[in-house]
Amino acid sequence: MRVLLMELRRSPLRWWFPVLVALDVAVLFGRAQWWIGVWPQASAAAQVPAFYLGPFLAAYAAWASGRIHRLGFEDQHTAGTRPRWQVEGVHIAAVAVYGGGAYAVGAAVAAAVSYDDAGPGFLWPSYLLLGAALIVLCIAVGHIAGRWFPSAFATPVICGLACFVVVTMNGGPMKAGLFVLSGGPAVEVTPERLAVRWGLALSAVVVAVLTPRTLPGYTGERGKVIARLPAIGGSVLAVACLAGVVTAGPVQTARANPSGQMCTRTEPKICVWPEERMYMPRLEAMAERVSGLPSVITSPSVFYEEGLRGDKGRDTDFSIFEGSMWEVADSMSIAVSRESTPRYCQAATSTAEDRRTMAYFELDSWLAARISGAGQPSDIHGGPPGVDQKAIARLIKQSGPAQEAWAKKRIKVIEGTRCA
């Protein structure tokens, strides 16, 4: 511990610590802010800066580990009273302490800004540990790169960029799963998936600490093999963990059904995961708008967020994507139109099929606009083909009877389509 404290005091990274904290906070708030107030989403957001801190720390670790060789202190370093692996381990630990400290500050900020709106609960440790594993892995890679290629400029730059590119291309949640981009309450990082990624990170540290750059004191082929055995074992472990990460599947898995759920008081009910409680006022308003739809429209009695019903879920269950209530209204509109129209069957002719499809598109767009309380947001692009969203936005401002007459015409087209 004393040696580590000494290394922390003399490490140039102490001057970079405020920069690391600023980088973490900038990524935390600069990327998005819709996560504030939902604990799993805040946890995932607090983990995202590791995606940037990792490559930065890999570059620094490469520069720091190569200093001994650049200054010509290799022989003194090898002949010291402490085992080589302890000295290397202290260097890695010092970088990890500063990087982890900046990462922890960002997580504390994420918790602080979410506390008032999120209610009971706290940040999910699994997401924070996932980001920490990525940071440790990058530091280990940078350390060993600096030892083998002790350039003061080329190695740190190449190592940092390489880590960033490799993680970007292969570390996403649907690939190696070294990081996630969001944390909906319907999914979680299980201990098993997390453990195999920490196994990869720690085995990389073992390789970085035990792999010798030179083998002084060992003569003959047998001596060289003995010297390499720990590094060989660490490398085999790293390869095994890497294979486990690649073959384990997505890092996020479906969460078990909750013991409780939160539902609106207004009928029809809208039910969400308890972690989404901050959206309840807006969901209450949406439930009231559904109950106020014209009598020609029939609504399901309950709308469910994705994952609440487990294997019994339906394709009309909604998700709150990046805090957007339009996504919720859009999914609910499809459920309402299905409830209000006959069961689907193939139309007798292609012309009739096209006419009925357009009627469905227009009806769904109108329902989504009514449920959301406004037309399609300007930042939402696309939508059902052929539907004039501006005309729908004007329609929902007309009188109730006018809107009911408009909806009846679309339903009449749907009901009047003959089946093949």
Side-chain angles (χ1 to χ4, degrees), residues 70-385:
R70 292 194 299 272
L71 297 175
F73 293 156
E74 174 69 18
D75 292 339
Q76 295 92 318
H77 188 52
T78 304
T81 57
R82 298 182 183 279
R84 177 65 177 265
W85 68 267
Q86 289 186 10
V87 178
E88 301 292 348
V90 167
H91 290 172
I92 292 177
V95 181
V97 166
Y98 279 114
Y103 181 59
V105 171
V109 171
V113 298
S114 294
Y115 185 80
D116 288 339
D117 295 327
F122 199 65
L123 298 177
W124 290 14
S126 57
Y127 286 114
L128 302 182
L129 290 173
L130 180 65
L134 177 58
I135 290 174
V136 172
L137 176 62
C138 289
I139 292 173
V141 171
H143 185 87
I144 194 169
R147 286 183 57 199
W148 280 89
F149 307 100
S151 169
F153 178 76
T155 300
V157 171
I158 294 174
C159 185
L161 289 176
C163 284
F164 184 79
V165 170
V166 170
V167 173
T168 299
M169 297 180 63
N170 302 288
M174 300 309 295
K175 294 184 179 180
L178 300 177
F179 67 90
V180 299
L181 297 173
S182 63
V187 295
E188 62 182 346
V189 178
T190 60
E192 297 79 11
R193 305 287 171 100
L194 182 62
V196 73
R197 284 154 181 86
W198 264 102
L200 174 62
L202 294 178
S203 60
V205 172
V206 171
V207 173
V209 168
L210 297 180
T211 301
R213 186 170 186 267
T214 59
L215 297 169
Y218 293 92
T219 59
E221 292 300 321
R222 183 178 180 184
K224 293 180 179 179
V225 170
I226 292 175
R228 291 190 177 100
L229 281 179
I232 293 173
S235 300
V236 171
L237 178 61
V239 172
C241 290
L242 179 60
V245 167
V246 173
T247 60
V251 64
Q252 290 171 305
T253 58
R255 188 179 171 197
N257 293 351
S259 56
Q261 57 189 20
M262 299 195 71
C263 298
T264 59
R265 297 183 299 273
T266 305
E267 296 287 347
K269 291 184 177 181
I270 304 176
C271 298
V272 296
W273 290 83
E275 290 81 6
E276 307 273 31
R277 58 175 53 85
M278 70 167 291
Y279 298 117
M280 290 307 294
R282 282 181 279 178
L283 294 174
E284 289 280 2
M286 294 173 71
E288 290 179 1
R289 286 192 285 268
V290 173
S291 66
L293 288 170
S295 58
V296 69
I297 298 298
T298 304
S299 168
S301 59
V302 186
F303 298 90
Y304 292 95
E305 187 178 5
E306 285 183 358
L308 279 181
R309 295 191 279 183
D311 296 336
K312 297 180 180 179
R314 300 178 181 177
D315 57 356
T316 53
D317 289 353
F318 64 87
S319 64
I320 304 177
F321 179 71
E322 296 186 350
S324 173
M325 290 296 102
W326 175 259
E327 299 291 337
V328 178
D330 193 41
S331 296
M332 291 173 60
S333 70
I334 297 174
V336 172
S337 68
R338 288 186 182 180
E339 194 78 13
S340 305
T341 56
R343 186 174 181 179
Y344 177 82
C345 66
Q346 185 65 37
T349 65
S350 59
T351 301
E353 181 70 26
D354 292 341
R355 185 169 57 250
R356 182 179 61 180
T357 299
M358 180 53 64
Y360 265 123
F361 285 166
E362 291 178 336
L363 185 64
D364 290 346
S365 298
W366 170 70
L367 286 169
R370 279 290 300 262
I371 294 171
S372 69
Q376 181 172 292
S378 59
D379 59 342
I380 301 294
H381 304 287

Side-chain angles (χ1 to χ4, degrees), residues 17-102:
F17 183 74
V19 176
L20 295 177
V21 173
L23 174 62
D24 190 296
V25 174
V27 172
L28 185 64
F29 292 102
R31 177 173 168 267
Q33 297 183 24
W34 51 263
W35 49 267
I36 296 174
V38 180
W39 285 126
Q41 294 287 15
S43 306
Q47 163 268 170
V48 169
F51 176 83
Y52 299 93
L53 290 175
F56 182 94
L57 293 170
Y60 174 82
W63 176 86
S65 64
R67 281 183 301 172
I68 293 173
H69 313 296
R70 292 194 299 272
L71 297 175
F73 293 156
E74 174 69 18
D75 292 339
Q76 295 92 318
H77 188 52
T78 304
T81 57
R82 298 182 183 279
R84 177 65 177 265
W85 68 267
Q86 289 186 10
V87 178
E88 301 292 348
V90 167
H91 290 172
I92 292 177
V95 181
V97 166
Y98 279 114

